[in-house]
Amino acid sequence: MNPAPTSPAGAVPLPATGAWREGDPPGRRRWHRRMRPLALEAGGVLPRLRLAFETWGRLAPDRSNAVLVLHALTGDSHVAGAAGPGHPTPGWWDALVGPGRALDTDRWFVVAPNVLGGCQGSTGPASTGPGGRPWGGAFPRLTQRDQVRAEVGLADALGIGRWALVVGGSMGGMRALEWAVGEPGRVAALLLLACPAAASADQIAWATSQVHAIRADPLWQGGDYHDGGPGRGPHAGLGIARRMAHVTYRSAGELQTRFGHAPQEGEQPLLGGRYRVESYLDHQADKLVRRFDAASYVALAEAMNTHDIGRGRGGPRAALGGVLARTVVAGVDSDRLYPLAQQEELAAGISSADRVRVVRSPYGHDGFLLETDQVGALVRELLDTAPRPPRARATP
């Protein structure tokens, strides 16, 4: 039996899930509700769904200044702003969004949804299913295309016929690419960061191993743990998955430089204590289990495994040839999870992409999140040449 994970004080077990639940503070979230069924690519139907989203800036009268920002696996709609009620962490790209920043909210209307299958306000395994209980293990299998179709509904509800820019990294980049291929007339400009045309065997292997770690937790219960009491969620399995993933998100050089072979202060590995890098991974795992849901992690990781822009479209090259948007493709030079060769394939296949832009960073895959000056320059490269929209107004 797994020990019940506790709060920092060591007294109160964590809730079964770190998902946002009904009754929690809404924070800056708004909701788009789709009341008709969404047929799913792998079969099955979501009878209805909702997407949580946040916005910054104002929509222009002609609705030409909207920018769609798509988050990675454990991200959410809170791209910018402080942590607070309803938002357990600060904005994950806060340095890019705001007046005078790359996504200048005096000019651009920025929209960020929580992905379908996520756990921060959108329909996912932790949300209420048709029977009035959490979906849990009955939540249907999703693909990136299903998620984008849900986001198309959000755009329609906002009256946005064409995005001035769609930007995403990692899993968000997969969805950004699906937008540009599946809805080519609705994407004026496209920024793809640290993502592939199709998930590789290596990426599927890592993700599948993480999914197995979660499902092996005795408290997984087939995914039906959400109504369990405090300490009754698969936190141990989710924590192991996060440790595995985080190693792939960082570079070997950075880990060696930061931690080397040193023991954690006050501990002796030869006597059962930890190395500094172990303590670091423990910290990353502890943070995630407090704000995320294990079943959402499984649903999103499996959706990422399905990513193949060429499926049913004549292969990746044919699909990429259909992109009409002005495109910048960028990768991180130290990324060992989504290596630059994958971004080179994208740039070679998209006629408007010219060369790959290289983000220089010691941090590995996480460089697309951390190197905000370099990423901001790529955003400006696309947006500074865009037509200036009319004076913006508040959205309905």
Side-chain angles (χ1 to χ4, degrees):
M1 181 67 68
N2 293 357
T6 59
S7 69
V12 181
L14 293 173
T17 175
W20 186 93
R21 309 295 292 274
E22 292 288 351
D24 290 344
R28 297 189 75 259
R29 293 176 185 82
R30 298 163 59 188
W31 278 272
H32 158 63
R33 289 174 170 83
R34 176 186 171 118
M35 303 308 293
R36 64 187 189 281
L38 178 70
L40 303 176
E41 188 182 7
V45 171
L46 277 174
R48 60 184 60 86
L49 64 87
R50 69 177 187 178
L51 292 184
F53 68 100
E54 297 178 48
T55 67
W56 297 262
R58 292 187 173 188
L59 190 59
D62 65 355
R63 300 177 183 263
S64 65
N65 69 329
V67 173
L68 180 64
V69 178
L70 301 175
H71 67 77
L73 172 59
T74 60
D76 55 34
S77 64
H78 198 52
V79 175
H87 299 296
T89 55
W92 51 270
W93 249 0
D94 190 68
L96 291 184
V97 179
R101 297 177 182 175
L103 290 170
D104 186 347
T105 49
D106 289 336
R107 180 179 178 188
W108 302 104
F109 177 63
V110 178
V111 181
N114 181 217
V115 69
L116 181 66
C119 63
Q120 287 298 318
S122 292
T123 295
S127 56
T128 302
R133 296 175 60 85
W135 274 98
F139 191 73
R141 181 178 287 267
L142 299 177
T143 69
Q144 305 286 305
R145 295 182 194 180
D146 299 326
Q147 294 165 335
V148 168
R149 286 182 60 211
E151 291 164 1
V152 168
L154 168 62
D156 291 344
L158 293 174
I160 297 168
R162 192 169 190 241
W163 297 103
L165 171 66
V166 177
V167 55
S170 194
M171 184 185 81
M174 297 176 185
R175 301 201 329 274
L177 183 58
E178 279 290 346
W179 262 98
V181 171
E183 302 286 338
R186 301 190 70 163
V187 182
L190 177 68
L191 176 54
L192 302 174
L193 297 163
C195 65
S200 70
D202 186 62
Q203 290 148 8
I204 293 170
W206 278 111
T208 301
S209 298
Q210 293 159 37
V211 167
H212 280 297
I214 293 171
R215 287 180 168 150
D217 189 316
L219 296 180
W220 169 247
Q221 300 179 70
D224 296 321
Y225 57 85
H226 293 91
D227 286 335
R232 302 300 299 172
H235 302 106
L238 179 57
I240 292 169
R242 179 60 166 180
R243 289 173 177 87
M244 296 168 65
H246 200 77
V247 170
T248 71
Y249 298 158
R250 297 298 180 125
S251 72
E254 188 224 357
L255 294 177
Q256 181 64 26
T257 299
R258 289 180 65 183
F259 306 113
H261 195 258
Q264 177 67 5
E265 185 176 356
E267 299 187 31
Q268 299 182 54
L270 286 176
L271 300 179
R274 299 173 297 172
Y275 292 96
R276 286 183 61 202
V277 70
E278 288 182 83
S279 175
Y280 169 71
L281 294 175
D282 289 347
H283 174 66
Q284 297 299 326
D286 181 71
K287 287 197 303 181
L288 187 73
V289 300
R290 296 174 188 280
R291 66 172 182 85
F292 214 76
D293 177 62
S296 271
Y297 195 103
V298 169
L300 298 182
E302 291 185 333
M304 291 172 70
N305 284 349
T306 73
H307 173 61
D308 178 0
I309 202 65
R311 184 175 61 252
R313 294 166 171 156
R317 189 79 180 195
L320 295 174
V323 174
L324 303 178
R326 294 178 295 110
T327 302
V328 168
V329 179
V332 182
D333 59 356
S334 57
D335 192 341
R336 56 180 172 178
L337 181 59
Y338 293 89
L340 277 171
Q342 293 186 315
Q343 289 85 64
E344 290 167 355
E345 179 187 9
L346 293 175
I350 298 173
S351 60
S352 64
D354 61 56
R355 58 185 175 82
V356 172
R357 308 305 196 275
V358 179
V359 174
R360 309 289 179 186
S361 176
Y363 299 118
H365 184 61
D366 273 355
F368 86 89
L369 292 170
L370 300 173
E371 304 291 356
T372 52
D373 287 346
Q374 295 181 65
V375 173
L378 300 174
V379 170
R380 289 188 171 95
E381 180 178 343
L382 287 164
L383 288 182
D384 285 355
T385 57
R388 184 168 290 277
R391 182 183 294 273
R393 61 174 174 79
T395 55

